[in-house]
């Protein structure tokens, strides 16, 4: 069994797969190292043979988690590292080491699946877009606040905006103009995300006409997918690239 980890700024996404056919045995999303270790340990009768990780955390935080995993499960953790070129994709950043590893791996995975020009739209804590040309050249991308950051900033900097998560979920039953603050904020933020996604597709069309694939990933992808019906929703796109960057027997 192989443990795969995507360590983001706010959450850790994990899954355990069979080494032979990549069948998913278990997985989830947690908000702390301790919760991760507990959930993995709770998997019945599973023995890990390897672990691969992508992390946008600090180096110290990543090292601490690796040490806990090695101590708890006896596996060596292989952490994905920046590269100028991999699997036919050439990193487009001026300093290739500054491109976020989550974006890099999603680009690798998308190009592998598309076999040609592709646009990756990743909607998590931040909203990100990356463009990969048909010859594998990464053309760069865009980053802006995602749903959690937009919501947090409005709650933090506007005194009268106060509501709970349950109210937020109810507010998204429609995108009609809001009749309460929670509806106005939540629906406004979703429309911002949808506008971001549609603008990226317009950019891609300006580059490639209609000869490109669109991939939608990240926790808030469902909020946008109806507005970009041409997109393929791949929740585990980063894991596709991680397997390419960190092959395990």
């Amino acid at each position: 069994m192989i443990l795969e980890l995507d360590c983001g700024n706010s959450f850790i996404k994990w899954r355990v797969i069979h080494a032979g056919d990549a069948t998913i045995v278990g997985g989830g999303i947690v908000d702390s190292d301790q919760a991760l270790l507990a959930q993995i340990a709770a998997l019945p009768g599973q023995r890990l043979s390897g672990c691969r990780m992508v992390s946008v955390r600090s180096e110290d935080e990543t090292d601490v988690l690796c040490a806990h995993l090695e101590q708890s499960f006896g596996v060596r953790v292989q952490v994905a590292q920046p590269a100028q070129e991999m699997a036919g994709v050439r990193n487009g950043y001026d300093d290739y080491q500054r491109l976020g590893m989550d974006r890099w791996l999603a680009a690798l995975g998308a190009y592998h699946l598309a076999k040609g020009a592709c646009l990756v739209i990743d909607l998590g804590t931040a909203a990100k877009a990356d463009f990969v040309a048909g010859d594998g050249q990464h053309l760069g991308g865009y980053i802006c606040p995602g749903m959690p950051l937009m919501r947090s900033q409005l709650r933090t900097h506007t005194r009268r905006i106060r509501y709970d998560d349950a109210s937020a979920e109810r507010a998204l039953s429609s995108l009609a103009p809001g009749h309460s603050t929670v509806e106005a904020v939540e629906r406004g933020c979703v429309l911002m995300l949808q506008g971001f996604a549609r603008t990226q597709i317009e950019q891609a069309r300006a580059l490639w006409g209609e000869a490109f694939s669109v991939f939608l990933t990240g926790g808030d992808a469902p909020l946008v997918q109806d507005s970009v019906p041409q997109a393929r929703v791949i929740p585990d796109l980063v894991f596709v690239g991680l397997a390419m960057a960190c092959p395990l027997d």
Side-chain angles (χ1 to χ4, degrees):
M1 302 293 173
I2 294 173
L3 172 64
E4 298 183 321
L5 299 170
D6 178 4
C7 301
N9 293 300
S10 303
F11 299 99
I12 302 171
K13 186 174 184 180
W14 69 276
R15 70 180 190 180
V16 173
I17 62 172
H18 283 288
D21 58 7
T23 302
I24 299 173
V25 176
I29 299 175
V30 295
D31 59 3
S32 69
D33 293 2
Q34 292 72 28
L36 172 68
L37 297 173
Q39 289 196 11
I40 297 170
L43 283 175
Q46 307 299 341
R47 180 173 177 80
L48 299 178
S49 59
C51 175
R52 52 190 170 217
M53 172 194 298
V54 54
S55 176
V56 297
R57 295 172 156 195
S58 71
E59 188 173 337
D60 288 344
E61 290 174 315
T62 301
D63 288 345
V64 167
L65 178 55
C66 288
H68 285 319
L69 290 165
E70 291 174 10
Q71 182 178 15
S72 299
F73 305 108
V75 292
R76 185 179 70 84
V77 182
Q78 190 172 345
V79 181
Q81 299 298 323
Q84 287 184 304
E85 184 171 354
M86 181 176 291
V89 180
R90 298 183 300 282
N91 194 311
Y93 258 31
D94 296 333
D95 178 356
Y96 75 92
Q97 298 186 75
R98 300 292 294 174
L99 176 62
M101 285 303 302
D102 55 340
R103 291 173 60 197
W104 174 237
L105 295 184
L108 293 182
Y111 187 72
H112 171 74
L113 295 174
K115 305 293 192 294
C118 55
L119 164 65
V120 180
I121 302 172
D122 185 349
L123 303 178
T125 303
K128 295 161 284 189
D130 281 281
F131 298 76
V132 183
D135 64 356
Q137 179 63 52
H138 172 239
L139 303 179
Y142 298 93
I143 304 173
C144 71
M147 191 79 174
L149 286 177
M150 288 191 285
R151 180 188 291 128
S152 173
Q153 287 298 300
L154 285 167
R155 285 178 170 178
T156 300
H157 295 288
T158 308
R159 296 186 179 210
R160 293 180 179 270
I161 294 180
R162 296 288 185 273
Y163 55 84
D164 57 27
D165 291 340
S167 299
E169 186 174 347
R170 289 194 297 272
L172 293 179
S173 61
S174 164
L175 289 180
H179 291 275
S180 65
T181 298
V182 61
E183 290 179 353
V185 169
E186 291 296 312
R187 295 173 189 180
C189 289
V190 169
L191 291 177
M192 291 280 283
L193 283 188
Q194 292 183 350
F196 175 81
R198 286 193 292 264
T199 298
Q200 306 314 308
I201 292 173
E202 290 172 7
Q203 293 267 54
R205 285 199 179 108
L207 288 168
W208 305 311
E210 297 296 331
F212 66 96
S213 300
V214 183
F215 295 91
L216 194 57
T217 190
D220 285 326
L223 298 176
V224 167
Q225 65 183 96
D226 288 345
S227 67
V228 286
Q230 66 270 61
R232 293 174 60 183
V233 180
I234 311 286
D236 295 328
L237 186 58
V238 167
F239 286 144
V240 176
L242 179 61
M244 299 163 68
C246 300
L248 295 171
D249 294 330

